[in-house]
Amino acid sequence: SQQGEEDPQALSIQEGENATMNCSYKTSINNLQWYRQNSGRGLVHLILIRSNEREKHSGRLRVTLDTSKKSSSLLITASRAADTASYFCATDKGTGYSTLTFGKGTMLLVSP
Amino acid sequence: DTAVSQTPKYLVTQMGNDKSIKCEQNLGHDTMYWYKQDSKKFLKIMFSYNNKELIINETVPNRFSPKSPDKAHLNLHINSLELGDSAVYFCASTYGGDSPLHFGNGTRLTVT
């Protein structure tokens, strides 16, 4: 069954602006991961946050996790046209072998 | 030097035919997956193999049969193709645990 739900479904911003995407999930997790998918390509891992972490940074990316609300957010600061892609959150229940459940994604368009 | 490679990239075929998609990874990962991405970009796990052994088999029709000749390869054979099988199929691999998934660039299957 689907676990993550991203919000919004689509986001259009100008270069230099920040982009925030949200993800909600339903059951307990071991970790939550964010992936990017450029058009016609496979998904690329961006960042992982564990259930005992609240915030994580990687370059221009900032991820937060609120396990009490079962939600996460991905913030991309100072966006660039090259950030145009679909962004997916994926949850891992930690039940043994890594089994990620993906949301439907947020399509981000960054205009020059 | 592609880490996870799938062939073919595009596959157009008629209903009722049988087709195969091949996947190879040169990352030394033990676990490989097949995911299906539908037209709405929803990504759903189909199968997972760990060191040539099937560990995850989601509710996928029997017409789909994965085969892993060694831990670097995971192929997907589909019998009696149906219109609803049209999708993009992604192969992925990982070391397992909290390690991220590495995806191939997908095989776009169109059944006419």
Side-chain angles (χ1 to χ4, degrees):
Chain A
S1 62
Q2 187 177 340
Q3 173 76 309
E5 291 276 351
E6 286 90 343
D7 168 55
Q9 288 190 336
L11 181 60
S12 184
I13 60 175
Q14 299 289 116
E15 261 190 331
E17 294 180 339
N18 295 341
T20 300
M21 288 160 266
N22 302 299
C23 169
S24 60
Y25 57 92
K26 296 175 182 173
T27 62
S28 296
I29 61 170
N30 181 52
N31 66 66
L32 185 145
Q33 304 178 30
W34 285 90
Y35 287 78
R36 183 188 74 228
Q37 183 180 29
N38 289 88
S39 181
R41 306 298 296 266
L43 282 74
V44 174
H45 181 260
L46 294 176
I47 195 165
L48 178 152
I49 187 165
R50 293 186 172 81
S51 59
N52 61 354
E53 298 175 312
R54 291 297 166 258
E55 188 171 312
K56 209 160 181 181
H57 296 254
S58 176
R60 294 184 296 113
L61 305 180
R62 173 177 167 253
V63 169
T64 62
L65 179 64
D66 186 334
T67 53
S68 66
K69 294 182 180 178
K70 292 187 169 59
S71 67
S72 172
S73 68
L74 171 67
L75 168 66
I76 304 174
T77 59
S79 63
R80 306 165 183 169
D83 294 328
T84 294
S86 291
Y87 292 81
F88 295 85
C89 70
T91 53
D92 184 357
K93 294 181 186 177
T95 52
Y97 294 105
S98 178
T99 308
L100 293 183
T101 304
F102 287 83
K104 290 184 179 177
T106 292
M107 195 176 302
L108 173 66
L109 174 63
V110 182
S111 302
Chain B
D1 60 344
T2 304
V4 181
S5 58
Q6 297 178 227
T7 54
K9 186 169 175 63
Y10 300 98
L11 189 51
V12 181
T13 187
Q14 292 184 327
M15 283 175 59
N17 284 349
D18 303 337
K19 290 293 179 187
S20 292
I21 307 171
K22 295 186 176 183
C23 177
E24 176 182 5
Q25 54 95 5
N26 61 4
L27 296 165
H29 291 162
D30 290 322
T31 307
M32 296 185 72
Y33 304 82
W34 279 111
Y35 277 86
K36 177 181 180 180
Q37 187 173 47
D38 64 22
S39 60
K40 295 183 179 178
K41 293 214 165 184
F42 178 48
L43 203 65
K44 185 173 180 181
I45 189 169
M46 299 174 70
F47 301 103
S48 176
Y49 271 74
N50 181 263
N51 208 6
K52 301 193 298 177
E53 287 193 26
L54 180 67
I55 54 172
I56 293 171
N57 183 349
E58 292 294 306
T59 51
V60 177
N62 291 339
R63 300 181 295 103
F64 291 79
S65 53
K67 278 193 173 59
S68 182
D70 55 62
K71 75 172 195 175
H73 295 83
L74 180 61
N75 303 323
L76 183 64
H77 188 76
I78 315 170
N79 289 326
S80 304
L81 278 155
E82 300 177 357
L83 292 176
D85 297 332
S86 295
V88 181
Y89 292 84
F90 286 97
C91 176
S93 69
T94 181
Y95 283 119
D98 285 352
S99 298
L101 265 59
H102 293 254
F103 282 82
N105 282 327
T107 295
R108 181 174 292 276
L109 171 65
T110 303
V111 183
T112 61

